Amino acid sequence: MMVLSNNCFLIVLLLFVSAGAAQKVEYTTCVNHGSPCLYEKLLCPSECPSPYPSDPQAKVCYVNCDSPLCQTECKNRKPNCNTPGAACLDPRFIGADGTVFYFHGKSNEHFSLVSDLNLQINARFIGLRPAGRPRDYTWIQALGILFGSQSFSIEANKAATWEDEIDHLKFSYNGKEQIIPETYPSVWVSTQNEVKVERTSRKNSVLVTLPKVAEISINVVPVTKEDDRIHSYQIPLDDCFAHLEVQFKFYGLSTKVEGVLGRTYQPDFKNPAKPGVAMPVVGGENKYRTMSLLSSDCGSCVFSPGGVLNKDESLVMDFGTLDCTSGASTGNGIVCRK
C-alpha cells in the first residue's frame, strides 16, 4: 500500500492473464473515506499499465481520488509546456483559459506567479540584456513556495555548460537545504507531510506536491545553442542559463487568486494578451514584484499565513493540467485560445 499525493491510498492488484506469456495488469483504487471512488477497483489503461513504471520516461496510471468520474488516465509527470498552467522558455505562460502570453519581468528580480489566501508561489528571474536591446531576456531560475507558516524552494544551479549527468536542482525546506537522492524513484516528504518531492527521473526532473493544494512538475534545462541562434540571446560562454520548465496543477483556488499566472484562474478574468499577436506580452511588473523569493509583499498579493477560505471564496473547479492540443474545448467550461 502506498500513499498518493492527493491523500488517497493506492492499492495495486496484479492480475496475470495467460496468453502464451504472462501479462501483468494493474488496478488502482482510492481507500480514503472522502473519495467518491472509495474502494472501486479501477483498471489502468493499456497505454500506461502501472502507477509506478520502472521507466521514468513512461506515462503513469493515475486516478484523481477527488473527482466524481472515478476513471484512470495516463499522465505524464514531466511538464507539458503546451497546456494550461505551463511556464517555460523566456518565460512563456499558458493561462487557465488556454491563452499564451509572455511576461518578461526583469533579471535578478522576483515576481509572484500565484498569490492566493493559502498559497504563494514566487519566481526568481535570471537573464541578460544584449547591447542595443530594450529589455532583458529572462528565464525562471527558482520557485519559492509559501503555504501556511511553511516555505519550500527549488532552484536551478548555475552552470557554465550543460551536462545531462549532473543534477542541477537545489531544494530547501523552511530555510534548510534538503538532499534528495539521485535515484528513480526517490521521494522526500516533510515532517508534517505538507510537501512531497518525487524525482521523475534520476536527475533534473521532479514532481512537487502540496496535498489538496497544488502539484508542480519541474524540469531543469539550459538555453540551447539552437535557441541562442534563433533568438539572438547572445548567451555568454561561462553561463548556459540553466532554468526551470514548470507546469502547475491547482486544487480549489479562491476567487481572489492573483499573480502573473494565478489571475488567469479568476472566474471573470479577461486576458490582456492581444489576440493574433505572435508573442503577446503582458505587463504588471510593479504589481507582482516581491522583495525576495520567499516574501508575499507584492502590490497585488493576497496570501495569508492562516490561509482561511470561506464558502464564498472557494472555487469548485479542480484546475488540472488541461490539454488544449486536441481541440478548442477542454471539457471543463474553458475554451482554449492561442
PDB file of all heavy atoms in Angstrom, residues 69-105:
ATOM      1  N   LEU A  69     -15.595  11.297 -11.348  1.00  0.00           N
ATOM      2  CA  LEU A  69     -15.560  10.476 -12.563  1.00  0.00           C
ATOM      3  C   LEU A  69     -15.051   9.073 -12.288  1.00  0.00           C
ATOM      4  O   LEU A  69     -15.437   8.116 -12.952  1.00  0.00           O
ATOM      5  CB  LEU A  69     -14.693  11.149 -13.631  1.00  0.00           C
ATOM      6  CG  LEU A  69     -15.192  12.505 -14.130  1.00  0.00           C
ATOM      7  CD1 LEU A  69     -14.228  13.063 -15.167  1.00  0.00           C
ATOM      8  CD2 LEU A  69     -16.593  12.392 -14.714  1.00  0.00           C
ATOM      9  N   CYS A  70     -14.153   8.922 -11.337  1.00  0.00           N
ATOM     10  CA  CYS A  70     -13.606   7.608 -10.962  1.00  0.00           C
ATOM     11  C   CYS A  70     -13.083   6.859 -12.183  1.00  0.00           C
ATOM     12  O   CYS A  70     -13.457   5.713 -12.450  1.00  0.00           O
ATOM     13  CB  CYS A  70     -14.665   6.767 -10.244  1.00  0.00           C
ATOM     14  SG  CYS A  70     -15.207   7.486  -8.680  1.00  0.00           S
ATOM     15  N   GLN A  71     -12.219   7.511 -12.919  1.00  0.00           N
ATOM     16  CA  GLN A  71     -11.623   6.903 -14.103  1.00  0.00           C
ATOM     17  C   GLN A  71     -10.105   7.025 -14.020  1.00  0.00           C
ATOM     18  O   GLN A  71      -9.583   8.025 -13.550  1.00  0.00           O
ATOM     19  CB  GLN A  71     -12.111   7.593 -15.378  1.00  0.00           C
ATOM     20  CG  GLN A  71     -13.597   7.451 -15.640  1.00  0.00           C
ATOM     21  CD  GLN A  71     -14.037   8.239 -16.863  1.00  0.00           C
ATOM     22  OE1 GLN A  71     -13.308   9.083 -17.374  1.00  0.00           O
ATOM     23  NE2 GLN A  71     -15.234   7.966 -17.340  1.00  0.00           N
ATOM     24  N   THR A  72      -9.427   5.988 -14.482  1.00  0.00           N
ATOM     25  CA  THR A  72      -7.976   6.077 -14.584  1.00  0.00           C
ATOM     26  C   THR A  72      -7.616   6.761 -15.894  1.00  0.00           C
ATOM     27  O   THR A  72      -8.380   6.733 -16.857  1.00  0.00           O
ATOM     28  CB  THR A  72      -7.337   4.686 -14.535  1.00  0.00           C
ATOM     29  OG1 THR A  72      -7.892   3.881 -15.572  1.00  0.00           O
ATOM     30  CG2 THR A  72      -7.538   4.044 -13.184  1.00  0.00           C
ATOM     31  N   GLU A  73      -6.439   7.347 -15.915  1.00  0.00           N
ATOM     32  CA  GLU A  73      -5.957   8.002 -17.121  1.00  0.00           C
ATOM     33  C   GLU A  73      -4.440   7.949 -17.139  1.00  0.00           C
ATOM     34  O   GLU A  73      -3.807   7.674 -16.113  1.00  0.00           O
ATOM     35  CB  GLU A  73      -6.423   9.454 -17.169  1.00  0.00           C
ATOM     36  CG  GLU A  73      -5.974  10.280 -15.973  1.00  0.00           C
ATOM     37  CD  GLU A  73      -6.571  11.665 -15.958  1.00  0.00           C
ATOM     38  OE1 GLU A  73      -7.781  11.784 -15.703  1.00  0.00           O
ATOM     39  OE2 GLU A  73      -5.823  12.628 -16.216  1.00  0.00           O
ATOM     40  N   CYS A  74      -3.877   8.178 -18.301  1.00  0.00           N
ATOM     41  CA  CYS A  74      -2.429   8.241 -18.430  1.00  0.00           C
ATOM     42  C   CYS A  74      -1.970   9.665 -18.142  1.00  0.00           C
ATOM     43  O   CYS A  74      -2.577  10.634 -18.593  1.00  0.00           O
ATOM     44  CB  CYS A  74      -1.997   7.829 -19.835  1.00  0.00           C
ATOM     45  SG  CYS A  74      -2.331   6.095 -20.234  1.00  0.00           S
ATOM     46  N   LYS A  75      -0.910   9.753 -17.413  1.00  0.00           N
ATOM     47  CA  LYS A  75      -0.426  11.062 -17.000  1.00  0.00           C
ATOM     48  C   LYS A  75       1.081  11.130 -17.186  1.00  0.00           C
ATOM     49  O   LYS A  75       1.814  10.241 -16.767  1.00  0.00           O
ATOM     50  CB  LYS A  75      -0.785  11.308 -15.532  1.00  0.00           C
ATOM     51  CG  LYS A  75      -0.302  12.634 -14.973  1.00  0.00           C
ATOM     52  CD  LYS A  75      -0.703  12.740 -13.512  1.00  0.00           C
ATOM     53  CE  LYS A  75      -0.196  14.012 -12.891  1.00  0.00           C
ATOM     54  NZ  LYS A  75      -0.559  14.097 -11.456  1.00  0.00           N
ATOM     55  N   ASN A  76       1.517  12.189 -17.846  1.00  0.00           N
ATOM     56  CA  ASN A  76       2.941  12.445 -17.973  1.00  0.00           C
ATOM     57  C   ASN A  76       3.357  13.334 -16.819  1.00  0.00           C
ATOM     58  O   ASN A  76       2.859  14.446 -16.679  1.00  0.00           O
ATOM     59  CB  ASN A  76       3.241  13.131 -19.314  1.00  0.00           C
ATOM     60  CG  ASN A  76       4.718  13.200 -19.605  1.00  0.00           C
ATOM     61  OD1 ASN A  76       5.552  13.091 -18.704  1.00  0.00           O
ATOM     62  ND2 ASN A  76       5.069  13.386 -20.869  1.00  0.00           N
ATOM     63  N   ARG A  77       4.246  12.854 -15.979  1.00  0.00           N
ATOM     64  CA  ARG A  77       4.628  13.614 -14.796  1.00  0.00           C
ATOM     65  C   ARG A  77       5.690  14.659 -15.107  1.00  0.00           C
ATOM     66  O   ARG A  77       6.081  15.415 -14.222  1.00  0.00           O
ATOM     67  CB  ARG A  77       5.098  12.669 -13.695  1.00  0.00           C
ATOM     68  CG  ARG A  77       3.994  11.713 -13.257  1.00  0.00           C
ATOM     69  CD  ARG A  77       4.248  11.162 -11.879  1.00  0.00           C
ATOM     70  NE  ARG A  77       5.500  10.418 -11.797  1.00  0.00           N
ATOM     71  CZ  ARG A  77       6.019   9.970 -10.668  1.00  0.00           C
ATOM     72  NH1 ARG A  77       5.421  10.225  -9.523  1.00  0.00           N
ATOM     73  NH2 ARG A  77       7.143   9.284 -10.669  1.00  0.00           N
ATOM     74  N   LYS A  78       6.145  14.726 -16.334  1.00  0.00           N
ATOM     75  CA  LYS A  78       7.055  15.783 -16.750  1.00  0.00           C
ATOM     76  C   LYS A  78       6.234  16.979 -17.234  1.00  0.00           C
ATOM     77  O   LYS A  78       5.103  16.825 -17.699  1.00  0.00           O
ATOM     78  CB  LYS A  78       7.972  15.288 -17.878  1.00  0.00           C
ATOM     79  CG  LYS A  78       8.853  14.097 -17.519  1.00  0.00           C
ATOM     80  CD  LYS A  78       9.914  14.471 -16.515  1.00  0.00           C
ATOM     81  CE  LYS A  78      10.849  13.286 -16.227  1.00  0.00           C
ATOM     82  NZ  LYS A  78      11.703  12.940 -17.372  1.00  0.00           N
ATOM     83  N   PRO A  79       6.756  18.186 -17.154  1.00  0.00           N
ATOM     84  CA  PRO A  79       5.999  19.358 -17.595  1.00  0.00           C
ATOM     85  C   PRO A  79       5.628  19.281 -19.070  1.00  0.00           C
ATOM     86  O   PRO A  79       6.419  18.846 -19.905  1.00  0.00           O
ATOM     87  CB  PRO A  79       6.975  20.516 -17.348  1.00  0.00           C
ATOM     88  CG  PRO A  79       7.940  20.012 -16.345  1.00  0.00           C
ATOM     89  CD  PRO A  79       8.069  18.544 -16.606  1.00  0.00           C
ATOM     90  N   ASN A  80       4.401  19.688 -19.381  1.00  0.00           N
ATOM     91  CA  ASN A  80       3.948  19.854 -20.759  1.00  0.00           C
ATOM     92  C   ASN A  80       3.835  21.350 -21.006  1.00  0.00           C
ATOM     93  O   ASN A  80       2.936  22.005 -20.476  1.00  0.00           O
ATOM     94  CB  ASN A  80       2.601  19.165 -20.977  1.00  0.00           C
ATOM     95  CG  ASN A  80       2.145  19.227 -22.424  1.00  0.00           C
ATOM     96  OD1 ASN A  80       2.574  20.089 -23.195  1.00  0.00           O
ATOM     97  ND2 ASN A  80       1.271  18.321 -22.809  1.00  0.00           N
ATOM     98  N   CYS A  81       4.749  21.896 -21.782  1.00  0.00           N
ATOM     99  CA  CYS A  81       4.824  23.342 -21.965  1.00  0.00           C
ATOM    100  C   CYS A  81       3.744  23.888 -22.883  1.00  0.00           C
ATOM    101  O   CYS A  81       3.695  25.094 -23.127  1.00  0.00           O
ATOM    102  CB  CYS A  81       6.203  23.718 -22.508  1.00  0.00           C
ATOM    103  SG  CYS A  81       7.543  23.480 -21.306  1.00  0.00           S
ATOM    104  N   ASN A  82       2.874  23.017 -23.391  1.00  0.00           N
ATOM    105  CA  ASN A  82       1.841  23.456 -24.335  1.00  0.00           C
ATOM    106  C   ASN A  82       0.437  23.288 -23.797  1.00  0.00           C
ATOM    107  O   ASN A  82      -0.526  23.215 -24.559  1.00  0.00           O
ATOM    108  CB  ASN A  82       1.985  22.687 -25.659  1.00  0.00           C
ATOM    109  CG  ASN A  82       3.296  22.988 -26.353  1.00  0.00           C
ATOM    110  OD1 ASN A  82       3.657  24.150 -26.527  1.00  0.00           O
ATOM    111  ND2 ASN A  82       4.025  21.962 -26.727  1.00  0.00           N
ATOM    112  N   THR A  83       0.292  23.231 -22.475  1.00  0.00           N
ATOM    113  CA  THR A  83      -1.019  23.106 -21.858  1.00  0.00           C
ATOM    114  C   THR A  83      -1.178  24.155 -20.763  1.00  0.00           C
ATOM    115  O   THR A  83      -0.190  24.720 -20.272  1.00  0.00           O
ATOM    116  CB  THR A  83      -1.229  21.703 -21.254  1.00  0.00           C
ATOM    117  OG1 THR A  83      -0.191  21.457 -20.298  1.00  0.00           O
ATOM    118  CG2 THR A  83      -1.196  20.627 -22.328  1.00  0.00           C
ATOM    119  N   PRO A  84      -2.427  24.465 -20.361  1.00  0.00           N
ATOM    120  CA  PRO A  84      -2.654  25.459 -19.312  1.00  0.00           C
ATOM    121  C   PRO A  84      -1.885  25.150 -18.036  1.00  0.00           C
ATOM    122  O   PRO A  84      -1.718  24.000 -17.649  1.00  0.00           O
ATOM    123  CB  PRO A  84      -4.167  25.376 -19.095  1.00  0.00           C
ATOM    124  CG  PRO A  84      -4.704  24.969 -20.426  1.00  0.00           C
ATOM    125  CD  PRO A  84      -3.692  24.004 -20.968  1.00  0.00           C
ATOM    126  N   GLY A  85      -1.423  26.213 -17.408  1.00  0.00           N
ATOM    127  CA  GLY A  85      -0.640  26.071 -16.188  1.00  0.00           C
ATOM    128  C   GLY A  85       0.849  25.985 -16.430  1.00  0.00           C
ATOM    129  O   GLY A  85       1.610  25.860 -15.479  1.00  0.00           O
ATOM    130  N   ALA A  86       1.282  26.085 -17.693  1.00  0.00           N
ATOM    131  CA  ALA A  86       2.697  25.947 -18.018  1.00  0.00           C
ATOM    132  C   ALA A  86       3.415  27.290 -17.937  1.00  0.00           C
ATOM    133  O   ALA A  86       2.851  28.344 -18.235  1.00  0.00           O
ATOM    134  CB  ALA A  86       2.861  25.356 -19.418  1.00  0.00           C
ATOM    135  N   ALA A  87       4.694  27.225 -17.542  1.00  0.00           N
ATOM    136  CA  ALA A  87       5.580  28.382 -17.534  1.00  0.00           C
ATOM    137  C   ALA A  87       6.943  27.899 -18.001  1.00  0.00           C
ATOM    138  O   ALA A  87       7.674  27.255 -17.247  1.00  0.00           O
ATOM    139  CB  ALA A  87       5.665  28.995 -16.139  1.00  0.00           C
ATOM    140  N   CYS A  88       7.278  28.180 -19.250  1.00  0.00           N
ATOM    141  CA  CYS A  88       8.502  27.675 -19.858  1.00  0.00           C
ATOM    142  C   CYS A  88       9.161  28.781 -20.684  1.00  0.00           C
ATOM    143  O   CYS A  88       8.649  29.902 -20.781  1.00  0.00           O
ATOM    144  CB  CYS A  88       8.200  26.480 -20.770  1.00  0.00           C
ATOM    145  SG  CYS A  88       7.348  25.086 -19.974  1.00  0.00           S
ATOM    146  N   LEU A  89      10.312  28.439 -21.246  1.00  0.00           N
ATOM    147  CA  LEU A  89      11.023  29.336 -22.162  1.00  0.00           C
ATOM    148  C   LEU A  89      11.346  30.658 -21.481  1.00  0.00           C
ATOM    149  O   LEU A  89      11.826  30.666 -20.368  1.00  0.00           O
ATOM    150  CB  LEU A  89      10.229  29.509 -23.453  1.00  0.00           C
ATOM    151  CG  LEU A  89       9.915  28.186 -24.195  1.00  0.00           C
ATOM    152  CD1 LEU A  89       8.979  28.423 -25.348  1.00  0.00           C
ATOM    153  CD2 LEU A  89      11.192  27.501 -24.616  1.00  0.00           C
ATOM    154  N   ASP A  90      11.032  31.810 -22.152  1.00  0.00           N
ATOM    155  CA  ASP A  90      11.624  33.069 -21.683  1.00  0.00           C
ATOM    156  C   ASP A  90      10.609  34.133 -21.243  1.00  0.00           C
ATOM    157  O   ASP A  90      10.599  35.211 -21.837  1.00  0.00           O
ATOM    158  CB  ASP A  90      12.557  33.629 -22.762  1.00  0.00           C
ATOM    159  CG  ASP A  90      11.851  33.872 -24.093  1.00  0.00           C
ATOM    160  OD1 ASP A  90      10.758  33.341 -24.308  1.00  0.00           O
ATOM    161  OD2 ASP A  90      12.411  34.630 -24.891  1.00  0.00           O
ATOM    162  N   PRO A  91       9.903  34.034 -20.163  1.00  0.00           N
ATOM    163  CA  PRO A  91       9.042  32.909 -19.858  1.00  0.00           C
ATOM    164  C   PRO A  91       7.731  33.021 -20.645  1.00  0.00           C
ATOM    165  O   PRO A  91       7.133  34.090 -20.731  1.00  0.00           O
ATOM    166  CB  PRO A  91       8.779  33.021 -18.359  1.00  0.00           C
ATOM    167  CG  PRO A  91       9.687  34.110 -17.849  1.00  0.00           C
ATOM    168  CD  PRO A  91       9.980  34.970 -19.029  1.00  0.00           C
ATOM    169  N   ARG A  92       7.301  31.912 -21.139  1.00  0.00           N
ATOM    170  CA  ARG A  92       6.054  31.778 -21.901  1.00  0.00           C
ATOM    171  C   ARG A  92       5.042  31.057 -21.020  1.00  0.00           C
ATOM    172  O   ARG A  92       5.251  29.937 -20.609  1.00  0.00           O
ATOM    173  CB  ARG A  92       6.311  30.975 -23.181  1.00  0.00           C
ATOM    174  CG  ARG A  92       5.097  30.606 -24.000  1.00  0.00           C
ATOM    175  CD  ARG A  92       5.586  29.746 -25.163  1.00  0.00           C
ATOM    176  NE  ARG A  92       4.532  29.294 -26.052  1.00  0.00           N
ATOM    177  CZ  ARG A  92       3.885  28.145 -25.949  1.00  0.00           C
ATOM    178  NH1 ARG A  92       4.160  27.330 -24.917  1.00  0.00           N
ATOM    179  NH2 ARG A  92       2.965  27.796 -26.805  1.00  0.00           N
ATOM    180  N   PHE A  93       3.950  31.736 -20.730  1.00  0.00           N
ATOM    181  CA  PHE A  93       2.913  31.192 -19.852  1.00  0.00           C
ATOM    182  C   PHE A  93       1.689  30.777 -20.667  1.00  0.00           C
ATOM    183  O   PHE A  93       1.408  31.347 -21.726  1.00  0.00           O
ATOM    184  CB  PHE A  93       2.474  32.238 -18.822  1.00  0.00           C
ATOM    185  CG  PHE A  93       3.527  32.590 -17.819  1.00  0.00           C
ATOM    186  CD1 PHE A  93       4.450  33.596 -18.085  1.00  0.00           C
ATOM    187  CD2 PHE A  93       3.605  31.932 -16.607  1.00  0.00           C
ATOM    188  CE1 PHE A  93       5.423  33.934 -17.158  1.00  0.00           C
ATOM    189  CE2 PHE A  93       4.575  32.264 -15.674  1.00  0.00           C
ATOM    190  CZ  PHE A  93       5.485  33.267 -15.954  1.00  0.00           C
ATOM    191  N   ILE A  94       0.973  29.798 -20.156  1.00  0.00           N
ATOM    192  CA  ILE A  94      -0.340  29.458 -20.698  1.00  0.00           C
ATOM    193  C   ILE A  94      -1.324  29.536 -19.541  1.00  0.00           C
ATOM    194  O   ILE A  94      -1.222  28.803 -18.563  1.00  0.00           O
ATOM    195  CB  ILE A  94      -0.376  28.070 -21.344  1.00  0.00           C
ATOM    196  CG1 ILE A  94       0.683  27.971 -22.451  1.00  0.00           C
ATOM    197  CG2 ILE A  94      -1.758  27.789 -21.917  1.00  0.00           C
ATOM    198  CD1 ILE A  94       0.683  26.660 -23.192  1.00  0.00           C
ATOM    199  N   GLY A  95      -2.277  30.463 -19.654  1.00  0.00           N
ATOM    200  CA  GLY A  95      -3.230  30.691 -18.589  1.00  0.00           C
ATOM    201  C   GLY A  95      -4.270  29.599 -18.494  1.00  0.00           C
ATOM    202  O   GLY A  95      -4.338  28.689 -19.329  1.00  0.00           O
ATOM    203  N   ALA A  96      -5.130  29.705 -17.487  1.00  0.00           N
ATOM    204  CA  ALA A  96      -6.187  28.715 -17.287  1.00  0.00           C
ATOM    205  C   ALA A  96      -7.150  28.670 -18.456  1.00  0.00           C
ATOM    206  O   ALA A  96      -7.794  27.648 -18.698  1.00  0.00           O
ATOM    207  CB  ALA A  96      -6.950  29.027 -16.002  1.00  0.00           C
ATOM    208  N   ASP A  97      -7.258  29.769 -19.204  1.00  0.00           N
ATOM    209  CA  ASP A  97      -8.153  29.813 -20.360  1.00  0.00           C
ATOM    210  C   ASP A  97      -7.480  29.323 -21.639  1.00  0.00           C
ATOM    211  O   ASP A  97      -8.089  29.337 -22.702  1.00  0.00           O
ATOM    212  CB  ASP A  97      -8.666  31.237 -20.572  1.00  0.00           C
ATOM    213  CG  ASP A  97      -7.537  32.247 -20.786  1.00  0.00           C
ATOM    214  OD1 ASP A  97      -6.353  31.848 -20.665  1.00  0.00           O
ATOM    215  OD2 ASP A  97      -7.824  33.420 -21.071  1.00  0.00           O
ATOM    216  N   GLY A  98      -6.234  28.881 -21.535  1.00  0.00           N
ATOM    217  CA  GLY A  98      -5.524  28.387 -22.707  1.00  0.00           C
ATOM    218  C   GLY A  98      -4.809  29.464 -23.498  1.00  0.00           C
ATOM    219  O   GLY A  98      -4.175  29.164 -24.504  1.00  0.00           O
ATOM    220  N   THR A  99      -4.891  30.722 -23.065  1.00  0.00           N
ATOM    221  CA  THR A  99      -4.242  31.814 -23.771  1.00  0.00           C
ATOM    222  C   THR A  99      -2.742  31.832 -23.491  1.00  0.00           C
ATOM    223  O   THR A  99      -2.317  31.760 -22.332  1.00  0.00           O
ATOM    224  CB  THR A  99      -4.849  33.166 -23.360  1.00  0.00           C
ATOM    225  OG1 THR A  99      -6.230  33.180 -23.705  1.00  0.00           O
ATOM    226  CG2 THR A  99      -4.147  34.323 -24.062  1.00  0.00           C
ATOM    227  N   VAL A 100      -1.941  31.941 -24.539  1.00  0.00           N
ATOM    228  CA  VAL A 100      -0.489  32.028 -24.424  1.00  0.00           C
ATOM    229  C   VAL A 100      -0.087  33.487 -24.259  1.00  0.00           C
ATOM    230  O   VAL A 100      -0.561  34.364 -24.992  1.00  0.00           O
ATOM    231  CB  VAL A 100       0.199  31.438 -25.667  1.00  0.00           C
ATOM    232  CG1 VAL A 100       1.711  31.644 -25.599  1.00  0.00           C
ATOM    233  CG2 VAL A 100      -0.126  29.953 -25.801  1.00  0.00           C
ATOM    234  N   PHE A 101       0.788  33.768 -23.282  1.00  0.00           N
ATOM    235  CA  PHE A 101       1.299  35.132 -23.123  1.00  0.00           C
ATOM    236  C   PHE A 101       2.703  35.078 -22.533  1.00  0.00           C
ATOM    237  O   PHE A 101       3.124  34.068 -21.955  1.00  0.00           O
ATOM    238  CB  PHE A 101       0.377  35.977 -22.242  1.00  0.00           C
ATOM    239  CG  PHE A 101       0.251  35.503 -20.823  1.00  0.00           C
ATOM    240  CD1 PHE A 101       1.055  36.024 -19.810  1.00  0.00           C
ATOM    241  CD2 PHE A 101      -0.681  34.528 -20.472  1.00  0.00           C
ATOM    242  CE1 PHE A 101       0.931  35.594 -18.497  1.00  0.00           C
ATOM    243  CE2 PHE A 101      -0.812  34.090 -19.157  1.00  0.00           C
ATOM    244  CZ  PHE A 101      -0.001  34.619 -18.170  1.00  0.00           C
ATOM    245  N   TYR A 102       3.428  36.162 -22.690  1.00  0.00           N
ATOM    246  CA  TYR A 102       4.793  36.268 -22.182  1.00  0.00           C
ATOM    247  C   TYR A 102       4.839  37.348 -21.100  1.00  0.00           C
ATOM    248  O   TYR A 102       4.167  38.371 -21.188  1.00  0.00           O
ATOM    249  CB  TYR A 102       5.766  36.641 -23.307  1.00  0.00           C
ATOM    250  CG  TYR A 102       5.982  35.535 -24.300  1.00  0.00           C
ATOM    251  CD1 TYR A 102       5.029  35.272 -25.287  1.00  0.00           C
ATOM    252  CD2 TYR A 102       7.130  34.747 -24.275  1.00  0.00           C
ATOM    253  CE1 TYR A 102       5.216  34.247 -26.201  1.00  0.00           C
ATOM    254  CE2 TYR A 102       7.328  33.729 -25.184  1.00  0.00           C
ATOM    255  CZ  TYR A 102       6.364  33.482 -26.148  1.00  0.00           C
ATOM    256  OH  TYR A 102       6.559  32.470 -27.051  1.00  0.00           O
ATOM    257  N   PHE A 103       5.616  37.081 -20.073  1.00  0.00           N
ATOM    258  CA  PHE A 103       5.851  38.051 -19.000  1.00  0.00           C
ATOM    259  C   PHE A 103       7.356  38.081 -18.773  1.00  0.00           C
ATOM    260  O   PHE A 103       7.932  37.121 -18.267  1.00  0.00           O
ATOM    261  CB  PHE A 103       5.117  37.642 -17.724  1.00  0.00           C
ATOM    262  CG  PHE A 103       5.374  38.555 -16.553  1.00  0.00           C
ATOM    263  CD1 PHE A 103       4.627  39.700 -16.372  1.00  0.00           C
ATOM    264  CD2 PHE A 103       6.371  38.259 -15.632  1.00  0.00           C
ATOM    265  CE1 PHE A 103       4.866  40.548 -15.295  1.00  0.00           C
ATOM    266  CE2 PHE A 103       6.621  39.089 -14.548  1.00  0.00           C
ATOM    267  CZ  PHE A 103       5.866  40.238 -14.381  1.00  0.00           C
ATOM    268  N   HIS A 104       7.997  39.176 -19.141  1.00  0.00           N
ATOM    269  CA  HIS A 104       9.460  39.197 -19.122  1.00  0.00           C
ATOM    270  C   HIS A 104      10.035  39.620 -17.773  1.00  0.00           C
ATOM    271  O   HIS A 104      11.144  39.204 -17.418  1.00  0.00           O
ATOM    272  CB  HIS A 104       9.979  40.128 -20.216  1.00  0.00           C
ATOM    273  CG  HIS A 104       9.622  39.672 -21.597  1.00  0.00           C
ATOM    274  ND1 HIS A 104       9.970  38.430 -22.080  1.00  0.00           N
ATOM    275  CD2 HIS A 104       8.917  40.271 -22.580  1.00  0.00           C
ATOM    276  CE1 HIS A 104       9.513  38.299 -23.319  1.00  0.00           C
ATOM    277  NE2 HIS A 104       8.868  39.391 -23.644  1.00  0.00           N
ATOM    278  N   GLY A 105       9.295  40.448 -17.020  1.00  0.00           N
ATOM    279  CA  GLY A 105       9.835  40.882 -15.743  1.00  0.00           C
ATOM    280  C   GLY A 105      11.192  41.541 -15.906  1.00  0.00           C
ATOM    281  O   GLY A 105      11.411  42.317 -16.827  1.00  0.00           O
TER     282      GLY A 105
END
